[in-house]
Amino acid sequence: MRTAATWTAVVIGTAGLAAGSLYAVGRPDMSAGGGQQAALAGDSAARPANASAAALAARLAGQLGRRTAGAYLDSAGRPVVTVTNAADAAKVRAAGAVAKKARTSPATLNRITATLRRSTSGISGTGWAVDPVTSKVTVWTDDTVTGARMAAVQRTTTKMGASVRMVRVPGRLRTLALGGDAIFGAGARCSLGFNVKRGNQDFFLTAGHCGNAVKAWTTDQQGAQALGNTVRSSFPGDDFALVQTNAAGEGAVNLYNGQKQDITQAGDAVVGQRVFRSGSTTGLRSGSVTAVNATVNYPEGTVTGTIQTTVCAEPGDSGGSLFSGSTALGLTSGGSGDCTSGGVTFFQPVTEPLKAFGARVT
């Protein structure tokens, strides 16, 4: 197998779709795009493929830190950054972005998310993120949240008033095991994320729930061709793993049309940004970022700081790559729905493991 940065994910023969479970692969649907989009945080923002605008928005939001409710791309593809004072507004405009006054203060939004973290982290099928377009916190629940569990979420959000918006996510939130170019181990099959280097050593990134399950990876199901060993894995909390490889991999994404996309850098996603995901079950799929720094509660635990998108995914796409142009953005973690009816998918930002491991994309 050519270890290009093309993506796979897990498989063990179990039934059901719960976080961290491993599933069998059906015949891949290699078509791109399509699918109903969930109405979640940031859906009112546009989806232009403007990498430079997205990078500018992310950079400015990072510089403002707790003084902003976030950034996004508007319907014209312009970078918009929320601000709370005139000095920051002038700084944003001077950098070439649009300054927008936050309707709710970042401090209030932070208090709301802190309360949600304390009160709902133990309720799987829930999650939340700040929507910079509306300056509200979007709280979602999947179809498993009913009865007393739903009542508990509603009691918490009702106390927060108009600063919180609740939405229903169809289906069940779970990690998405299986994927693109196959990597195998311990009876499982997972996705290779991005090939990376640390110093002169070669590694690749994949999902942490894959790395938790497999130590030694091979390129074939029979285990005859060794690929590498998991050296570090983090899930839940985060969802990434580092695998040391026996040979350098190619820094490109499989586009499932006989072509590939070179990956030359890593970056941070921005609400409204058009993005692509590659995976073996559903091929190349596109969508847009609806939230960043999102929290999702899987049955096995909470993962924080994720990228929320309208890109569809199905079991078998876990560990796969999220990218925009030549920029690596994330690793497929989990979600709900499918590529027939649509859904929501969450991604581990790739910049976090790169920083944690002192690695760079190749």
Side-chain angles (χ1 to χ4, degrees):
M1 182 187 98
R2 183 184 63 190
T3 55
T6 52
W7 338 109
T8 325
V10 187
V11 183
I12 289 179
T14 59
L17 298 175
S21 297
L22 313 174
Y23 310 102
V25 186
R27 178 176 176 82
D29 173 3
M30 300 305 184
S31 59
Q36 177 184 354
Q37 295 182 340
L40 298 174
D43 262 9
S44 59
R47 319 303 194 226
N50 189 330
S52 60
L56 176 60
R59 177 171 61 82
L60 290 171
Q63 291 174 354
L64 295 184
R66 289 183 171 271
R67 300 196 306 277
T68 180
Y72 60 95
L73 303 184
D74 69 10
S75 59
R78 300 175 302 175
V80 180
V81 182
T82 59
V83 297
T84 56
N85 61 68
D88 285 342
K91 179 179 180 180
V92 167
R93 288 191 291 267
V98 177
K100 176 184 176 181
K101 183 172 178 58
R103 299 177 187 177
T104 306
S105 73
T108 297
L109 296 173
N110 287 335
R111 284 195 296 271
I112 291 172
T113 57
T115 299
L116 289 168
R117 189 174 300 111
R118 291 192 300 270
S119 61
T120 65
S121 286
I123 304 177
S124 64
T126 64
W128 59 86
V130 173
D131 181 359
V133 181
T134 62
S135 293
K136 294 184 178 183
V137 176
T138 300
V139 178
W140 55 85
T141 58
D142 71 10
D143 289 344
T144 69
V145 184
T146 59
R149 297 166 73 241
M150 175 61 86
V153 176
Q154 290 174 332
R155 282 195 300 271
T156 298
T157 57
T158 297
K159 296 175 183 178
M160 299 171 180
S163 295
V164 173
R165 180 172 68 109
M166 284 192 66
V167 299
R168 192 71 165 170
V169 175
R172 178 181 177 184
L173 290 168
R174 79 284 195 201
T175 52
L176 301 167
L178 309 180
D181 282 359
I183 55 176
F184 299 88
R189 183 166 73 83
C190 272
S191 302
L192 191 156
F194 295 98
N195 285 303
V196 301
K197 278 188 176 290
R198 187 170 65 183
N200 293 322
Q201 296 180 310
D202 297 302
F203 300 84
F204 66 78
L205 297 174
T206 189
H209 61 270
C210 294
N212 284 1
V214 179
K215 174 64 176 178
W217 296 96
T218 65
T219 64
D220 63 314
Q221 192 168 8
Q222 293 71 34
Q225 302 178 42
L227 178 60
N229 296 311
T230 301
V231 295
R232 183 173 167 188
S233 183
S234 181
F235 176 83
D238 303 305
D239 197 1
F240 58 75
L242 182 71
V243 179
Q244 186 164 14
T245 61
N246 300 324
E250 184 180 353
V253 178
N254 186 351
L255 301 182
Y256 284 95
N257 60 0
Q259 300 180 12
K260 59 188 178 182
Q261 170 65 56
D262 286 339
I263 299 297
T264 61
Q265 62 185 348
D268 295 316
V270 172
V271 170
Q273 183 177 12
R274 185 167 177 80
V275 291
F276 292 85
R277 177 198 54 74
S278 180
S280 69
T281 302
T282 55
L284 183 69
R285 297 283 172 163
S286 65
S288 54
V289 176
T290 50
V292 296
N293 198 28
T295 296
V296 57
N297 295 317
Y298 297 123
E300 288 74 14
T302 300
V303 177
T304 62
T306 67
I307 304 165
Q308 180 188 4
T309 77
T310 62
V311 184
C312 70
E314 296 182 4
D317 290 326
S318 248
S321 59
L322 181 74
F323 63 99
S324 177
S326 60
T327 301
L329 296 175
L331 306 167
T332 306
S333 175
S336 70
D338 54 39
C339 287
T340 299
S341 60
V344 57
T345 305
F346 298 90
F347 297 83
Q348 162 69 53
V350 75
T351 50
E352 185 179 358
L354 289 176
K355 182 178 180 181
F357 300 141
R360 66 186 188 280
V361 295
T362 58

PDB file of all heavy atoms in Angstrom, residues 159-185:
ATOM      1  N   LYS A 159     -32.763  28.117  31.957  1.00  0.00           N
ATOM      2  CA  LYS A 159     -32.220  29.114  32.883  1.00  0.00           C
ATOM      3  C   LYS A 159     -31.318  30.123  32.184  1.00  0.00           C
ATOM      4  O   LYS A 159     -31.072  31.208  32.715  1.00  0.00           O
ATOM      5  CB  LYS A 159     -31.438  28.409  33.990  1.00  0.00           C
ATOM      6  CG  LYS A 159     -32.285  27.514  34.889  1.00  0.00           C
ATOM      7  CD  LYS A 159     -31.409  26.774  35.885  1.00  0.00           C
ATOM      8  CE  LYS A 159     -32.221  25.819  36.748  1.00  0.00           C
ATOM      9  NZ  LYS A 159     -31.358  25.055  37.694  1.00  0.00           N
ATOM     10  N   MET A 160     -30.808  29.772  31.014  1.00  0.00           N
ATOM     11  CA  MET A 160     -29.861  30.639  30.310  1.00  0.00           C
ATOM     12  C   MET A 160     -30.544  31.604  29.355  1.00  0.00           C
ATOM     13  O   MET A 160     -29.892  32.463  28.759  1.00  0.00           O
ATOM     14  CB  MET A 160     -28.854  29.770  29.546  1.00  0.00           C
ATOM     15  CG  MET A 160     -28.054  28.871  30.463  1.00  0.00           C
ATOM     16  SD  MET A 160     -27.072  27.669  29.554  1.00  0.00           S
ATOM     17  CE  MET A 160     -26.269  26.796  30.894  1.00  0.00           C
ATOM     18  N   GLY A 161     -31.862  31.467  29.187  1.00  0.00           N
ATOM     19  CA  GLY A 161     -32.619  32.428  28.407  1.00  0.00           C
ATOM     20  C   GLY A 161     -32.301  32.432  26.934  1.00  0.00           C
ATOM     21  O   GLY A 161     -31.953  31.416  26.322  1.00  0.00           O
ATOM     22  N   ALA A 162     -32.381  33.629  26.333  1.00  0.00           N
ATOM     23  CA  ALA A 162     -32.287  33.786  24.883  1.00  0.00           C
ATOM     24  C   ALA A 162     -30.875  33.600  24.334  1.00  0.00           C
ATOM     25  O   ALA A 162     -30.688  33.576  23.120  1.00  0.00           O
ATOM     26  CB  ALA A 162     -32.811  35.161  24.479  1.00  0.00           C
ATOM     27  N   SER A 163     -29.901  33.465  25.207  1.00  0.00           N
ATOM     28  CA  SER A 163     -28.523  33.286  24.736  1.00  0.00           C
ATOM     29  C   SER A 163     -28.231  31.858  24.302  1.00  0.00           C
ATOM     30  O   SER A 163     -27.127  31.562  23.843  1.00  0.00           O
ATOM     31  CB  SER A 163     -27.529  33.693  25.828  1.00  0.00           C
ATOM     32  OG  SER A 163     -27.638  35.068  26.104  1.00  0.00           O
ATOM     33  N   VAL A 164     -29.206  30.957  24.472  1.00  0.00           N
ATOM     34  CA  VAL A 164     -29.029  29.551  24.099  1.00  0.00           C
ATOM     35  C   VAL A 164     -30.109  29.155  23.091  1.00  0.00           C
ATOM     36  O   VAL A 164     -31.271  29.537  23.220  1.00  0.00           O
ATOM     37  CB  VAL A 164     -29.121  28.635  25.335  1.00  0.00           C
ATOM     38  CG1 VAL A 164     -29.121  27.169  24.929  1.00  0.00           C
ATOM     39  CG2 VAL A 164     -27.958  28.909  26.267  1.00  0.00           C
ATOM     40  N   ARG A 165     -29.677  28.388  22.078  1.00  0.00           N
ATOM     41  CA  ARG A 165     -30.605  27.854  21.085  1.00  0.00           C
ATOM     42  C   ARG A 165     -30.466  26.344  21.071  1.00  0.00           C
ATOM     43  O   ARG A 165     -29.358  25.822  20.933  1.00  0.00           O
ATOM     44  CB  ARG A 165     -30.268  28.414  19.697  1.00  0.00           C
ATOM     45  CG  ARG A 165     -31.169  27.919  18.577  1.00  0.00           C
ATOM     46  CD  ARG A 165     -30.879  28.688  17.303  1.00  0.00           C
ATOM     47  NE  ARG A 165     -29.569  28.380  16.760  1.00  0.00           N
ATOM     48  CZ  ARG A 165     -29.362  27.675  15.642  1.00  0.00           C
ATOM     49  NH1 ARG A 165     -30.397  27.190  14.971  1.00  0.00           N
ATOM     50  NH2 ARG A 165     -28.148  27.464  15.199  1.00  0.00           N
ATOM     51  N   MET A 166     -31.571  25.609  21.208  1.00  0.00           N
ATOM     52  CA  MET A 166     -31.537  24.154  21.182  1.00  0.00           C
ATOM     53  C   MET A 166     -31.955  23.634  19.814  1.00  0.00           C
ATOM     54  O   MET A 166     -32.895  24.148  19.211  1.00  0.00           O
ATOM     55  CB  MET A 166     -32.456  23.563  22.258  1.00  0.00           C
ATOM     56  CG  MET A 166     -31.901  23.651  23.656  1.00  0.00           C
ATOM     57  SD  MET A 166     -32.853  22.628  24.830  1.00  0.00           S
ATOM     58  CE  MET A 166     -32.510  20.971  24.210  1.00  0.00           C
ATOM     59  N   VAL A 167     -31.228  22.614  19.322  1.00  0.00           N
ATOM     60  CA  VAL A 167     -31.574  21.968  18.067  1.00  0.00           C
ATOM     61  C   VAL A 167     -31.543  20.457  18.268  1.00  0.00           C
ATOM     62  O   VAL A 167     -30.879  19.950  19.175  1.00  0.00           O
ATOM     63  CB  VAL A 167     -30.612  22.358  16.912  1.00  0.00           C
ATOM     64  CG1 VAL A 167     -30.660  23.839  16.642  1.00  0.00           C
ATOM     65  CG2 VAL A 167     -29.189  21.913  17.224  1.00  0.00           C
ATOM     66  N   ARG A 168     -32.273  19.757  17.425  1.00  0.00           N
ATOM     67  CA  ARG A 168     -32.326  18.303  17.475  1.00  0.00           C
ATOM     68  C   ARG A 168     -31.492  17.744  16.332  1.00  0.00           C
ATOM     69  O   ARG A 168     -31.646  18.155  15.177  1.00  0.00           O
ATOM     70  CB  ARG A 168     -33.770  17.824  17.340  1.00  0.00           C
ATOM     71  CG  ARG A 168     -33.989  16.354  17.671  1.00  0.00           C
ATOM     72  CD  ARG A 168     -33.845  16.090  19.144  1.00  0.00           C
ATOM     73  NE  ARG A 168     -34.384  14.777  19.524  1.00  0.00           N
ATOM     74  CZ  ARG A 168     -34.209  14.228  20.708  1.00  0.00           C
ATOM     75  NH1 ARG A 168     -33.517  14.875  21.638  1.00  0.00           N
ATOM     76  NH2 ARG A 168     -34.720  13.053  20.995  1.00  0.00           N
ATOM     77  N   VAL A 169     -30.579  16.833  16.637  1.00  0.00           N
ATOM     78  CA  VAL A 169     -29.769  16.173  15.625  1.00  0.00           C
ATOM     79  C   VAL A 169     -30.382  14.805  15.341  1.00  0.00           C
ATOM     80  O   VAL A 169     -30.495  13.987  16.252  1.00  0.00           O
ATOM     81  CB  VAL A 169     -28.314  16.002  16.107  1.00  0.00           C
ATOM     82  CG1 VAL A 169     -27.514  15.217  15.094  1.00  0.00           C
ATOM     83  CG2 VAL A 169     -27.675  17.357  16.350  1.00  0.00           C
ATOM     84  N   PRO A 170     -30.801  14.531  14.103  1.00  0.00           N
ATOM     85  CA  PRO A 170     -31.396  13.227  13.821  1.00  0.00           C
ATOM     86  C   PRO A 170     -30.366  12.109  13.941  1.00  0.00           C
ATOM     87  O   PRO A 170     -29.187  12.292  13.653  1.00  0.00           O
ATOM     88  CB  PRO A 170     -31.892  13.368  12.374  1.00  0.00           C
ATOM     89  CG  PRO A 170     -31.041  14.451  11.788  1.00  0.00           C
ATOM     90  CD  PRO A 170     -30.750  15.395  12.911  1.00  0.00           C
ATOM     91  N   GLY A 171     -30.818  10.952  14.380  1.00  0.00           N
ATOM     92  CA  GLY A 171     -29.916   9.812  14.517  1.00  0.00           C
ATOM     93  C   GLY A 171     -29.217   9.806  15.856  1.00  0.00           C
ATOM     94  O   GLY A 171     -29.671  10.408  16.831  1.00  0.00           O
ATOM     95  N   ARG A 172     -28.065   9.148  15.891  1.00  0.00           N
ATOM     96  CA  ARG A 172     -27.325   8.929  17.131  1.00  0.00           C
ATOM     97  C   ARG A 172     -25.884   9.361  16.953  1.00  0.00           C
ATOM     98  O   ARG A 172     -25.214   8.959  16.008  1.00  0.00           O
ATOM     99  CB  ARG A 172     -27.382   7.446  17.494  1.00  0.00           C
ATOM    100  CG  ARG A 172     -26.617   7.062  18.734  1.00  0.00           C
ATOM    101  CD  ARG A 172     -26.729   5.570  18.952  1.00  0.00           C
ATOM    102  NE  ARG A 172     -25.942   5.127  20.092  1.00  0.00           N
ATOM    103  CZ  ARG A 172     -25.812   3.854  20.439  1.00  0.00           C
ATOM    104  NH1 ARG A 172     -26.405   2.917  19.735  1.00  0.00           N
ATOM    105  NH2 ARG A 172     -25.071   3.532  21.483  1.00  0.00           N
ATOM    106  N   LEU A 173     -25.394  10.212  17.844  1.00  0.00           N
ATOM    107  CA  LEU A 173     -24.001  10.640  17.801  1.00  0.00           C
ATOM    108  C   LEU A 173     -23.102   9.474  18.183  1.00  0.00           C
ATOM    109  O   LEU A 173     -23.281   8.857  19.228  1.00  0.00           O
ATOM    110  CB  LEU A 173     -23.762  11.815  18.756  1.00  0.00           C
ATOM    111  CG  LEU A 173     -24.395  13.148  18.339  1.00  0.00           C
ATOM    112  CD1 LEU A 173     -24.342  14.135  19.486  1.00  0.00           C
ATOM    113  CD2 LEU A 173     -23.701  13.704  17.111  1.00  0.00           C
ATOM    114  N   ARG A 174     -22.119   9.178  17.324  1.00  0.00           N
ATOM    115  CA  ARG A 174     -21.178   8.081  17.597  1.00  0.00           C
ATOM    116  C   ARG A 174     -19.927   8.327  16.796  1.00  0.00           C
ATOM    117  O   ARG A 174     -19.913   9.109  15.846  1.00  0.00           O
ATOM    118  CB  ARG A 174     -21.779   6.711  17.250  1.00  0.00           C
ATOM    119  CG  ARG A 174     -21.773   6.344  15.763  1.00  0.00           C
ATOM    120  CD  ARG A 174     -22.835   7.061  14.973  1.00  0.00           C
ATOM    121  NE  ARG A 174     -23.027   6.427  13.662  1.00  0.00           N
ATOM    122  CZ  ARG A 174     -23.578   7.042  12.613  1.00  0.00           C
ATOM    123  NH1 ARG A 174     -23.959   8.294  12.704  1.00  0.00           N
ATOM    124  NH2 ARG A 174     -23.750   6.394  11.489  1.00  0.00           N
ATOM    125  N   THR A 175     -18.836   7.674  17.188  1.00  0.00           N
ATOM    126  CA  THR A 175     -17.642   7.737  16.375  1.00  0.00           C
ATOM    127  C   THR A 175     -17.879   6.926  15.112  1.00  0.00           C
ATOM    128  O   THR A 175     -18.720   6.035  15.079  1.00  0.00           O
ATOM    129  CB  THR A 175     -16.421   7.193  17.119  1.00  0.00           C
ATOM    130  OG1 THR A 175     -16.725   5.901  17.620  1.00  0.00           O
ATOM    131  CG2 THR A 175     -16.025   8.111  18.260  1.00  0.00           C
ATOM    132  N   LEU A 176     -17.118   7.262  14.061  1.00  0.00           N
ATOM    133  CA  LEU A 176     -17.361   6.680  12.746  1.00  0.00           C
ATOM    134  C   LEU A 176     -16.175   5.827  12.335  1.00  0.00           C
ATOM    135  O   LEU A 176     -15.195   6.315  11.791  1.00  0.00           O
ATOM    136  CB  LEU A 176     -17.596   7.789  11.716  1.00  0.00           C
ATOM    137  CG  LEU A 176     -18.783   8.695  12.043  1.00  0.00           C
ATOM    138  CD1 LEU A 176     -18.765   9.926  11.168  1.00  0.00           C
ATOM    139  CD2 LEU A 176     -20.088   7.936  11.898  1.00  0.00           C
ATOM    140  N   ALA A 177     -16.221   4.544  12.621  1.00  0.00           N
ATOM    141  CA  ALA A 177     -15.104   3.672  12.331  1.00  0.00           C
ATOM    142  C   ALA A 177     -15.204   3.107  10.926  1.00  0.00           C
ATOM    143  O   ALA A 177     -16.275   2.831  10.446  1.00  0.00           O
ATOM    144  CB  ALA A 177     -15.062   2.538  13.336  1.00  0.00           C
ATOM    145  N   LEU A 178     -14.101   2.915  10.282  1.00  0.00           N
ATOM    146  CA  LEU A 178     -13.871   2.454   8.885  1.00  0.00           C
ATOM    147  C   LEU A 178     -13.330   3.631   8.076  1.00  0.00           C
ATOM    148  O   LEU A 178     -13.403   4.740   8.509  1.00  0.00           O
ATOM    149  CB  LEU A 178     -15.129   1.877   8.206  1.00  0.00           C
ATOM    150  CG  LEU A 178     -15.866   0.824   8.981  1.00  0.00           C
ATOM    151  CD1 LEU A 178     -17.069   0.354   8.213  1.00  0.00           C
ATOM    152  CD2 LEU A 178     -14.959  -0.308   9.308  1.00  0.00           C
ATOM    153  N   GLY A 179     -12.831   3.468   6.885  1.00  0.00           N
ATOM    154  CA  GLY A 179     -12.358   4.644   6.198  1.00  0.00           C
ATOM    155  C   GLY A 179     -11.766   4.483   4.830  1.00  0.00           C
ATOM    156  O   GLY A 179     -12.262   3.701   4.049  1.00  0.00           O
ATOM    157  N   GLY A 180     -10.698   5.205   4.500  1.00  0.00           N
ATOM    158  CA  GLY A 180     -10.166   5.296   3.153  1.00  0.00           C
ATOM    159  C   GLY A 180      -9.168   4.209   2.837  1.00  0.00           C
ATOM    160  O   GLY A 180      -9.522   3.049   2.776  1.00  0.00           O
ATOM    161  N   ASP A 181      -7.925   4.548   2.575  1.00  0.00           N
ATOM    162  CA  ASP A 181      -6.899   3.545   2.326  1.00  0.00           C
ATOM    163  C   ASP A 181      -6.671   2.767   3.617  1.00  0.00           C
ATOM    164  O   ASP A 181      -6.302   3.330   4.633  1.00  0.00           O
ATOM    165  CB  ASP A 181      -5.594   4.202   1.886  1.00  0.00           C
ATOM    166  CG  ASP A 181      -5.639   4.617   0.425  1.00  0.00           C
ATOM    167  OD1 ASP A 181      -6.669   4.376  -0.225  1.00  0.00           O
ATOM    168  OD2 ASP A 181      -4.646   5.173  -0.047  1.00  0.00           O
ATOM    169  N   ALA A 182      -6.884   1.481   3.574  1.00  0.00           N
ATOM    170  CA  ALA A 182      -7.007   0.693   4.793  1.00  0.00           C
ATOM    171  C   ALA A 182      -5.694   0.508   5.534  1.00  0.00           C
ATOM    172  O   ALA A 182      -4.653   0.283   4.932  1.00  0.00           O
ATOM    173  CB  ALA A 182      -7.601  -0.673   4.476  1.00  0.00           C
ATOM    174  N   ILE A 183      -5.771   0.602   6.849  1.00  0.00           N
ATOM    175  CA  ILE A 183      -4.721   0.155   7.749  1.00  0.00           C
ATOM    176  C   ILE A 183      -5.379  -0.801   8.728  1.00  0.00           C
ATOM    177  O   ILE A 183      -6.511  -0.587   9.156  1.00  0.00           O
ATOM    178  CB  ILE A 183      -4.023   1.334   8.464  1.00  0.00           C
ATOM    179  CG1 ILE A 183      -5.048   2.200   9.205  1.00  0.00           C
ATOM    180  CG2 ILE A 183      -3.214   2.152   7.476  1.00  0.00           C
ATOM    181  CD1 ILE A 183      -4.426   3.322  10.020  1.00  0.00           C
ATOM    182  N   PHE A 184      -4.674  -1.876   9.052  1.00  0.00           N
ATOM    183  CA  PHE A 184      -5.283  -2.963   9.807  1.00  0.00           C
ATOM    184  C   PHE A 184      -4.496  -3.262  11.075  1.00  0.00           C
ATOM    185  O   PHE A 184      -3.289  -3.031  11.145  1.00  0.00           O
ATOM    186  CB  PHE A 184      -5.320  -4.240   8.956  1.00  0.00           C
ATOM    187  CG  PHE A 184      -6.131  -4.119   7.698  1.00  0.00           C
ATOM    188  CD1 PHE A 184      -5.548  -3.667   6.523  1.00  0.00           C
ATOM    189  CD2 PHE A 184      -7.473  -4.468   7.686  1.00  0.00           C
ATOM    190  CE1 PHE A 184      -6.292  -3.561   5.351  1.00  0.00           C
ATOM    191  CE2 PHE A 184      -8.223  -4.368   6.524  1.00  0.00           C
ATOM    192  CZ  PHE A 184      -7.636  -3.911   5.349  1.00  0.00           C
ATOM    193  N   GLY A 185      -5.215  -3.834  12.060  1.00  0.00           N
ATOM    194  CA  GLY A 185      -4.553  -4.295  13.266  1.00  0.00           C
ATOM    195  C   GLY A 185      -5.531  -4.860  14.257  1.00  0.00           C
ATOM    196  O   GLY A 185      -6.638  -4.325  14.412  1.00  0.00           O
TER     197      GLY A 185
END
